[in-house]
Amino acid sequence: MSIGVTLAAARHAAGMTVAQLSGRTRIRETVIYAIERDDFSLCGGDFYARGHVRNIAKTLGLDPDAIVHQFDEEHGGVPRPVRAAAVFQAENSIKLRERRSPNWSTAMAIALAIVAVFGVARVMSGTGEPVAPDPKAGVPKAPAPSSKPSAAAKVAERGSDLVTLQVKATKPSWLEVSDSKGKQMFRGTLPAGRTSTWKARKEVRVTIGNAGGVDLEVNGKHIGVPGKLGQLVHKSFGPEEPGSR
């Protein structure tokens, strides 16, 4: 059984919510939700992840050494210390170029050559008076109207597959919202009393860490509370029906 599943099961067995566990361990709720899903990317590195895992295991009455040992086996062992000299030692020495004074003689010679070439070109071209445009020259034709649909037509066409999700938090709850292609639109804790809205084409996917603490509305239709307090649920909604998939 993975570390996240073990810690989540121990928390449920202790009758403790994520908010209560966060208050006892001083670890943010978003980090606890991620650890219970075996996602340690929010911990800031393996060193801090080991400390969080040990703290949570000790608070829930588990053997912290056994949990940390399992973490080390799954993530390549205890990180080795790095010498400061190895980090700051430069591979190659830096060489500074000598500052040279400008060669004014060469610059003057180039300038005189440019002036001479310009004068010869003026003499060979005649008087240098501008040539009047030929009145018989053809007038450029106006471009033909484009047959492509306008931007307004494209917006109207896309509006039919737009999905609007509104989440109102009655209690603090961790959320992760993404579109049909998996692009993340939000990830974090929605505090109690806050209402947020997300829009995407074709589908909106949401993972809720505290299902009993939120109220959902999809495409203007009230869905209600998707689960119980402390329950982790996954939902997805499309434009054709407000019900979850």
Side-chain angles (χ1 to χ4, degrees):
M1 190 162 53
S2 68
I3 294 175
V5 174
T6 301
L7 296 179
R11 178 176 61 79
H12 286 295
M16 191 180 302
T17 65
V18 173
Q20 292 172 338
L21 182 59
S22 174
R24 294 190 182 185
T25 60
R26 302 297 182 183
I27 300 174
R28 291 179 299 162
E29 295 181 30
T30 54
V31 176
I32 295 177
Y33 279 120
I35 290 176
E36 289 187 353
R37 292 186 292 112
D38 293 306
D39 180 6
F40 301 95
S41 60
L42 299 182
C43 296
D46 290 348
F47 177 81
Y48 295 102
R50 295 172 80 254
H52 290 337
V53 168
R54 179 183 294 276
N55 192 0
I56 294 173
K58 184 177 180 181
T59 303
L60 296 176
L62 300 176
D63 184 358
D65 293 333
I67 297 295
V68 172
H69 178 70
Q70 181 181 352
F71 176 85
D72 291 338
E73 288 185 344
E74 294 178 359
H75 294 81
V78 180
R80 296 181 178 179
V82 180
R83 294 186 307 164
V87 175
F88 295 102
Q89 183 177 3
E91 294 183 359
N92 299 316
S93 58
I94 301 175
K95 296 181 179 180
L96 300 177
R97 294 184 176 180
E98 296 181 0
R99 187 175 180 180
R100 299 180 180 179
S101 59
N103 192 333
W104 295 108
S105 300
T106 303
M108 288 294 294
I110 294 174
L112 291 174
I114 294 175
V115 172
V117 171
F118 180 75
V120 172
R122 292 279 293 178
V123 171
M124 295 181 65
S125 62
T127 60
E129 296 180 356
V131 180
D134 186 1
K136 297 181 180 180
V139 179
K141 298 181 180 180
S146 175
S147 60
K148 296 182 179 180
S150 63
K154 292 182 179 180
V155 172
E157 181 180 353
R158 289 198 301 264
S160 60
D161 61 358
L162 186 66
V163 183
T164 302
L165 170 65
Q166 178 177 290
V167 180
K168 179 180 180 181
T170 57
K171 295 184 179 298
S173 180
W174 181 87
L175 299 177
E176 184 177 73
V177 184
S178 59
D179 60 12
S180 60
K181 297 181 179 180
K183 182 179 179 181
Q184 189 178 96
M185 296 187 289
F186 176 79
R187 183 177 185 179
T189 299
L190 198 65
R194 177 75 61 83
T195 300
S196 295
T197 303
W198 296 274
K199 296 181 180 181
R201 295 182 58 194
K202 297 182 180 180
E203 186 181 32
V204 174
R205 305 170 185 172
V206 59
T207 299
I208 307 171
N210 185 15
V214 296
D215 190 79
L216 305 182
E217 181 178 303
V218 179
N219 297 334
K221 183 173 181 179
H222 182 244
I223 302 299
V225 179
K228 301 179 180 179
L229 289 174
Q231 182 182 3
L232 178 69
V233 298
H234 303 275
K235 298 285 184 179
S236 62
F237 303 96
E240 70 282 353
E241 54 180 357
S244 62
R245 299 177 179 177

